[in-house]
């Protein structure tokens, strides 16, 4: 494990985003949480980030970001995350409003104030692309942009495209062409890190509120993925991007050239990974291929177990 990395978590909570917030609170220094339209509308993703902040009792600013993709129409995943994004979990609304409604400006300013931050987007890449438009120098100032999205082998929204990339393919295209030090933690990796009813039971056994909430989120995640190939478990996508930064040893990655399809009739939102070996174009990204799934799950469960004393 490295020293605690300092990160901005850009998210659209979202069931697995909520688990990513718990994971990040335990294993990173969270400089800010920024929100984006994605799994549900940005008013809900922001409310959910604030609810998670209150649940964890952490002192981290939450900044609301883009309410819609750069070009495409808003595209949500309520069937995977529930109508307002946090499954059927009963969490009170937060007392406080977001610290600002300008996540893009916050990302620019934070990376000017401090070099070497990690940007960890686990929703559509709208905020990150807009920040890079506002200040392309971000690409040289961050330690990494470690994103959950895309993948090296097929999609989940369509056979070709993963949700976060599909939902704002133009933004993703800009990020992949930005020159920033990217790591893509895609479906080929996150499908290796799966939680099932036994993990939910473990969380319940911790005997505290964060564990109970996490258990409900895990159960819901399993229930919505029951038709998805591996019945009885659900991939924990977003925490994998956090762990790729906090515990790089649990995610093996290789440098590759990756482009985002923005036009294809059947392939819009696909991340096309150049696997031609010596014929390949110059890498612009590290592609995550192999997880130490056992260790990743331990770290996520430890983060949940120890959450109230973070
Ligand atoms: C990604 O899409 C969202 O529904 C999840 O929160 C995750 O970020 C997985 O494709
Ligand atoms: Ca997400």
């Amino acid at each position: 494990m490295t020293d605690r990395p300092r990160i901005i978590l850009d998210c659209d909570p979202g069931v697995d985003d909520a688990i990513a917030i718990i994971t990040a609170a335990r294993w990173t220094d969270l400089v800010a949480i920024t929100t984006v339209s994605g799994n549900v509308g940005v008013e809900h993703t922001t409310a959910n980030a604030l609810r998670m902040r209150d649940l964890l009792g952490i002192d981290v600013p939450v900044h609301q970001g883009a309410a819609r993709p750069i070009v495409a129409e808003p595209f949500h995943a309520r069937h995977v995350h529930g109508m307002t994004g946090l499954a059927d979990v009963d969490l009170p609304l937060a007392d406080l409003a977001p610290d600002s409604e300008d996540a893009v400006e916050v990302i620019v300013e934070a990376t000017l104030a401090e070099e070497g931050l990690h940007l960890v987007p686990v929703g559509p890449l709208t905020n990150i692309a807009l920040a890079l438009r506002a200040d392309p120098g971000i690409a040289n100032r961050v330690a990494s942009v470690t994103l959950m999205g895309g993948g090296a082998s097929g999609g989940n929204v369509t056979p070709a495209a993963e949700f976060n990339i599909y939902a704002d393919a133009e933004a993703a295209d800009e990020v992949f062409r930005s020159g920033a030090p990217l790591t893509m933690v895609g479906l080929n990796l996150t499908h290796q890190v799966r939680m099932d009813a036994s993990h939910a039971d473990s969380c319940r056994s911790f005997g505290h509120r964060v564990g109970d909430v996490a258990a409900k989120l895990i159960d819901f995640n399993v229930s919505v993925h029951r038709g998805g190939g591996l019945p009885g478990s659900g991939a924990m996508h977003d925490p994998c991007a956090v762990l790729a930064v906090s515990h790089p040893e649990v995610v093996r990655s290789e440098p590759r050239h990756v482009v985002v399809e923005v036009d294809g009739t059947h392939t819009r939102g696909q991340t096309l990974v150049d696997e031609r070996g010596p014929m390949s174009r110059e890498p612009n990204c590290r592609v995550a291929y192999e997880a130490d799934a056992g260790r990743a799950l331990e770290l996520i469960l430890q983060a949940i177990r120890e959450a109230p004393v973070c």
Side-chain angles (χ1 to χ4, degrees), residues 12 16-17 39 77 81 122 148 156 162-164 187 237-238:
D12 60 337
D16 56 328
D17 303 73
N39 288 320
H81 297 270
V122 294
M148 192 283 130
N156 53 5
E162 180 279 332
F163 175 82
N164 290 338
L187 294 177
H237 306 286
D238 293 347

Side-chain angles (χ1 to χ4, degrees), residues 31-53:
V31 173
I33 297 171
T34 52
T35 62
V36 67
S37 169
N39 288 320
V40 287
V42 75
E43 68 282 10
H44 293 306
T45 63
T46 305
N48 292 340
L50 290 166
R51 292 157 94 194
M52 290 305 297
R53 177 176 77 175

Side-chain angles (χ1 to χ4, degrees), residues 59-110:
D59 184 18
V60 176
V62 172
H63 300 277
Q64 179 164 302
R68 52 162 301 135
I70 291 176
V71 176
E73 288 303 310
F75 182 76
H76 302 307
R78 294 188 192 95
H79 58 297
V80 181
H81 297 270
M83 287 307 286
T84 58
L86 279 192
D88 47 7
V89 168
D90 181 23
L91 276 177
L93 282 177
D95 291 336
L96 297 179
D99 295 78
S100 87
E101 298 193 356
D102 201 352
V104 171
E105 181 64 17
V106 165
I107 292 168
V108 172
E109 293 298 329

Side-chain angles (χ1 to χ4, degrees), residues 172-208:
D173 173 47
E174 292 184 26
V175 171
F176 275 84
R177 289 189 292 104
S178 69
L182 301 181
T183 296
M184 177 172 75
V185 180
L187 294 177
N188 60 299
L189 187 293
T190 62
H191 282 169
Q192 299 169 39
V193 180
R194 311 185 71 85
M195 285 189 151
D196 58 28
S198 72
H199 300 103
D201 288 345
S202 297
C203 291
R204 265 182 221 100
S205 77
F206 299 156
H208 56 57

Side-chain angles (χ1 to χ4, degrees), residues 119 121 125 128-142 144-147 170-183 257-260 283-285:
L119 304 183
L125 288 162
I128 307 301
L130 291 173
L132 283 161
R133 274 190 189 183
D135 180 354
I138 289 174
N140 302 317
R141 298 198 299 271
V142 294
S144 80
V145 177
T146 301
L147 63 101
E170 282 75 15
D173 173 47
E174 292 184 26
V175 171
F176 275 84
R177 289 189 292 104
S178 69
L182 301 181
T183 296
H257 190 88
V258 179
V259 293
V260 176
N284 62 343
C285 179

